[in-house]
Amino acid sequence: LPGFADLITICNLLIAYAPPRTTLIGSTPSTPLQVKSKHPSYLGCDVFLSSEWPQGISSTFPSPPPLSDDAAAGVSYDIAELASLIKPRYHFSSSHHPSHNYRHYFSYPFHNAPAVHSTKKTHVCRFVSLGNVIPPADAKTYGKERKFLHAVGIVSLTSMSRHELDIVPSGTVPHPYVDDYAAS
């Protein structure tokens, strides 16, 4: 993948990705992903891949990780901003930072931010942080607590009806990211 945030299509799934330490510069779109997501016909993407956690995501976890003082090093305001902009249905990230305990975490479904100056509903998102691969003997000891593999059956956004996209699962929580979008 190129060294900047962008969108690609694989097997009819629209996949956004952001390389490590992605930074957004000012209000002018600085990556191809930002430019594409501003198009009036853009609905969102199926999958967003990032190495950092978006700032604020742990508020959506059923069991938040015990974050250490250096937890800020493992989260990114820019990834939260990008996730708000691109409206993924699934956001996958790693638990590569020690403050995340290298473990699998997942969020309750949460609302994506509405488009700026829009009252149109948006689909929900689910965040999954993948843990480190561990030896089989350890996997049996820890069970799902140290899960590192996660299977998801994803139907592409473009194949879903507006009704299917508007379904809000029970337990859905508010948009967890930046305040700018909550005020829009």
Side-chain angles (χ1 to χ4, degrees), residues 32-76:
L33 179 55
Q34 287 175 279
V35 172
K36 292 172 185 175
S37 66
K38 298 265 186 201
H39 193 276
S41 66
Y42 181 81
L43 293 174
C45 64
D46 296 301
V47 174
F48 179 35
L49 305 172
S50 69
S51 60
E52 291 105 357
W53 285 8
Q55 183 177 326
I57 193 62
S58 62
S59 67
T60 66
F61 293 172
S63 300
L67 297 178
S68 62
D69 291 340
D70 66 345
V75 298
S76 168

Side-chain angles (χ1 to χ4, degrees), residues 4-7 14 16-17 24-43 81-82 85-86 181:
F4 47 81
D6 202 355
L7 281 169
L14 192 55
Y17 59 88
L24 306 179
I25 304 165
S27 59
T28 304
S30 60
T31 68
L33 179 55
Q34 287 175 279
V35 172
K36 292 172 185 175
S37 66
K38 298 265 186 201
H39 193 276
S41 66
Y42 181 81
L43 293 174
E81 186 84 12
L82 204 50
L85 183 67
I86 64 173
Y181 290 95

